[in-house]
């Protein structure tokens, strides 16, 4: 039965202003963190400690994004907010060492251009849209005033994508390297792992006939209204169709132009440098600086 509903919605949607469609979708993002696994083997956190850390990380784990789109292009960026959350300066510096900026997608050319700030240096990263092998299921649900259909896909994870990092299990930590003196702080890189692949779940609506969605995701027969990627959920909270005062959709231009491969190499080299500095300092918290030049 769902096939007929989907076909009907596709027929109706693509027949109504499909060529001139434009809009803005607002997404609420929430990422979960296993605070128990962040103890690093130094004892479990108290509930008060968990509450304090959760409050400190709230601005990082809960964000609002805006997708401005038309039939062929989109601009995806975080909504600017004043963050008044008190935070330890060093902790804040670590969280802000990587800051994603505006992301432009062109569905016709298959290109993505995005601004990324990494340890104080601005990069303009160019990549191709990675087409996932979406499997549309029989499940559907209402999201706001729209009917959304569920689709799933398996995504290969870049080994340098630390947004996908997860704490290693206890036995994996014990077997990950040489034994360290108990007085020496454990190398953070020995405490995490990055999965090779993850499952992505999207809920899309053919009532808005654009093959687009938040972030890098696209390729479904309708706008993605909800997205679940590993520990992060993005849920569309508001849609404004054909807005008069929407931001102009154009590629970002700020930063050193690099390909995705070049950018990943820079991230890997900088991460290895910071890890070496950490090990040479005996884990006393000394950090390497930003980029030279």
């Amino acid at each position: 039965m769902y096939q007929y509903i989907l076909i009907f919605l596709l027929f109706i949607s693509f027949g109504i202003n499909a060529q001139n469609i434009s809009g803005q979708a607002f997404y609420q993002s929430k990422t979960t963190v296993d605070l128990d696994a962040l103890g690093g083997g130094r004892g479990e956190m108290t509930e008060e400690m968990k509450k304090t850390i959760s409050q400190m990380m709230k601005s990082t784990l809960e964000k609002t994004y805006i997708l401005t789109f038309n039939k062929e292009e989109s601009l995806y960026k975080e909504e600017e907010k004043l963050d008044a959350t008190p935070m330890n300066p060093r902790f804040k510096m670590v969280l802000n060492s990587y800051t994603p900026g505006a992301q432009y997608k062109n569905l016709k050319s298959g290109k993505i251009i995005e601004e990324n700030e990494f340890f104080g240096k601005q990069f303009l990263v160019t990549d191709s849209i990675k087409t996932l092998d979406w499997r549309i299921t029989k499940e559907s649900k209402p999201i706001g005033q729209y009917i959304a259909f569920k689709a799933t896909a398996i995504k290969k994870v870049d080994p340098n994508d630390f947004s996908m990092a997860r704490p290693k299990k206890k036995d994996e930590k014990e077997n990950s390297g040489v034994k360290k003196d108990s007085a020496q702080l454990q190398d953070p890189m020995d405490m995490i792992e990055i999965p090779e692949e993850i499952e992505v779940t999207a809920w899309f609506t053919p009532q808005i006939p654009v093959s687009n969605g938040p972030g890098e995701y696209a390729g479904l027969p309708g706008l993605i209204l909800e997205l679940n990627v590993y520990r992060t959920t993005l849920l569309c909270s508001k849609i404004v169709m054909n807005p008069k005062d929407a931001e102009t959709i154009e590629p970002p231009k700020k930063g050193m132009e690099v390909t995705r491969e070049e950018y990943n190499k820079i991230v890997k080299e900088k991460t290895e440098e910071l890890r070496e500095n950490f090990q040479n300092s005996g884990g006393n918290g000394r950090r390497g600086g930003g980029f030279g030049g």
Side-chain angles (χ1 to χ4, degrees), residues 61 101 111:
L61 301 177
K111 295 292 184 182

Side-chain angles (χ1 to χ4, degrees), residues 149-178:
F149 293 85
K150 182 180 178 181
T152 62
I154 299 299
K155 176 188 174 184
K156 298 290 184 181
V157 178
D158 188 285
N160 296 308
D161 186 353
F162 290 99
S163 68
M164 297 291 176
R166 62 190 180 194
K168 287 182 179 178
K169 296 178 182 178
K170 186 176 180 181
D171 57 340
E172 292 175 333
K173 293 179 186 178
E174 293 173 349
N175 298 324
S176 61
V178 296

Side-chain angles (χ1 to χ4, degrees), residues 119-133:
F119 278 95
K121 185 157 186 174
Q122 201 76 26
F123 294 92
L124 194 63
V125 184
T126 301
D127 197 6
S128 58
I129 298 175
K130 301 297 187 296
T131 303
L132 297 179
D133 185 15

Side-chain angles (χ1 to χ4, degrees), residues 20-38:
N20 300 319
I21 194 169
S22 66
Q24 283 188 306
F26 295 75
Y27 295 88
Q28 302 295 324
S29 169
K30 188 169 185 178
T31 301
T32 59
V33 173
D34 184 358
L35 293 178
D36 289 325
L38 296 179

Side-chain angles (χ1 to χ4, degrees), residues 26-182:
F26 295 75
Y27 295 88
Q28 302 295 324
S29 169
K30 188 169 185 178
T31 301
T32 59
V33 173
D34 184 358
L35 293 178
D36 289 325
L38 296 179
R42 295 187 295 278
E44 293 187 2
M45 292 186 184
T46 65
E47 291 303 314
E48 187 64 28
M49 291 170 63
K50 292 179 184 179
K51 183 178 179 181
T52 300
I53 293 176
S54 295
Q55 187 62 33
M56 291 170 61
M57 298 178 69
K58 185 174 181 180
S59 63
T60 300
L61 301 177
E62 298 181 14
K63 296 177 178 291
T64 301
Y65 293 91
I66 303 173
L67 178 72
T68 304
F69 61 88
N70 58 36
K71 187 66 178 174
E72 295 181 348
E73 300 174 287
S74 66
L75 186 66
Y76 183 70
K77 60 195 303 185
E78 183 181 347
E79 183 179 47
E80 295 183 6
K81 291 182 179 179
L82 179 63
D83 181 16
T85 306
M87 186 180 296
N88 180 287
R90 177 173 291 181
F91 188 69
K92 189 171 185 177
M93 182 170 62
V94 171
L95 290 178
N96 292 336
S97 60
Y98 165 73
T99 306
Q103 183 188 71
Y104 168 85
K105 286 204 300 283
N106 189 308
L107 301 178
K108 188 174 183 179
S109 66
K111 295 292 184 182
I112 292 180
I113 302 175
E114 63 185 32
E115 291 178 338
N116 284 331
E117 182 182 335
F118 183 63
F119 278 95
K121 185 157 186 174
Q122 201 76 26
F123 294 92
L124 194 63
V125 184
T126 301
D127 197 6
S128 58
I129 298 175
K130 301 297 187 296
T131 303
L132 297 179
D133 185 15
W134 292 108
R135 183 178 68 88
I136 299 176
T137 73
K138 296 181 179 180
E139 294 183 56
S140 65
K141 67 178 181 180
I143 297 181
Q145 66 187 67
Y146 301 96
I147 298 175
F149 293 85
K150 182 180 178 181
T152 62
I154 299 299
K155 176 188 174 184
K156 298 290 184 181
V157 178
D158 188 285
N160 296 308
D161 186 353
F162 290 99
S163 68
M164 297 291 176
R166 62 190 180 194
K168 287 182 179 178
K169 296 178 182 178
K170 186 176 180 181
D171 57 340
E172 292 175 333
K173 293 179 186 178
E174 293 173 349
N175 298 324
S176 61
V178 296
K179 299 286 186 180
K180 296 182 184 288
D181 188 277
S182 59

Side-chain angles (χ1 to χ4, degrees), residues 37-40 42 94 162 165-168 173 176 180 184-194 271 274-287:
L38 296 179
R42 295 187 295 278
V94 171
F162 290 99
R166 62 190 180 194
K168 287 182 179 178
K173 293 179 186 178
S176 61
K180 296 182 184 288
Q184 185 178 14
L185 186 64
Q186 187 176 0
D187 186 340
M189 297 300 292
D190 287 337
M191 300 169 62
I192 63 173
E193 63 179 358
I194 298 175
T271 302
L274 293 171
R275 188 178 190 186
E276 183 177 349
N277 289 342
F278 182 91
Q279 293 170 339
N280 291 340
S281 67
N284 63 9
R286 190 183 76 192
R287 289 169 50 87

